Amino acid sequence: MKTIILLLALSYELPSLGQSPVNFTLHVKNFAHQEGLLRVSLFNSEGAYLKESFKDLHEEIANLEALSVTFEGIPSGAYAISIYHDENGNGELDTNFMGIPTEDYAFSNNAPSRFGPASYSEALIEISNTNNTHTIKLN
């Protein structure tokens, strides 16, 4: 009986063995000006995409050419990222009367956002110990 319990416990733990947390760095380029904040959201499921982020970061913009932010200790896996330049610091992606964003934004893979946000599948990237950086250009 002890052997069965031990085997069950080990089989439960096996998938997580070797999956050490990853420090993931995102490089963002193409800022129009330094006012406001860069807001970054990391999504780990299609159902939560653009609704409920897995992790969020924000950073003051100190350099127009590029800015880097790091998510520390996240599990390896598939993620989609959305970013926007919160120019007025209100915590929202501002839009005009037609719902078109008035602040710069972008998605991982520099996925296109033609008539709405990029799809989860287009923005999906794999994060691991060997793939732990990504670059996005603001639109």
Side-chain angles (χ1 to χ4, degrees):
M1 186 65 160
K2 288 181 184 178
T3 305
I4 293 172
I5 292 172
L6 180 61
L7 287 174
L8 286 172
L10 284 175
S11 67
Y12 177 76
E13 291 296 323
L14 280 177
S16 64
L17 291 177
Q19 292 184 357
S20 59
V22 176
N23 290 342
F24 173 74
T25 301
L26 178 66
H27 306 287
V28 180
K29 297 181 176 186
N30 209 27
F31 290 95
H33 53 79
Q34 288 181 262
E35 290 81 31
L37 301 168
L38 172 68
R39 297 204 183 262
V40 181
S41 294
L42 188 65
F43 300 92
N44 62 354
S45 74
E46 187 169 11
Y49 182 56
L50 302 178
K51 297 175 190 136
E52 187 176 330
S53 62
F54 172 68
K55 297 265 186 188
D56 291 305
L57 289 175
H58 65 274
E59 187 74 32
E60 289 186 22
I61 300 162
N63 182 342
L64 288 178
E65 291 183 25
L67 174 69
S68 297
V69 296
T70 300
F71 288 94
E72 295 183 3
I74 62 170
S76 295
Y79 295 88
I81 301 169
S82 72
I83 65 172
Y84 69 97
H85 182 174
D86 187 6
E87 296 177 17
N88 57 9
N90 68 353
E92 298 177 9
L93 176 63
D94 294 331
T95 60
N96 64 18
F97 70 96
M98 293 176 46
I100 298 171
T102 57
E103 295 175 312
D104 292 337
Y105 64 96
F107 301 93
S108 41
N109 284 331
N110 292 301
S113 54
R114 294 176 191 93
F115 297 104
S119 72
Y120 181 75
S121 62
E122 290 176 313
L124 204 58
I125 61 170
E126 192 67 32
I127 296 175
S128 67
N129 285 325
T130 58
N131 187 27
N132 58 6
T133 63
H134 189 69
T135 301
I136 298 177
K137 290 183 180 179
L138 280 166
N139 296 327

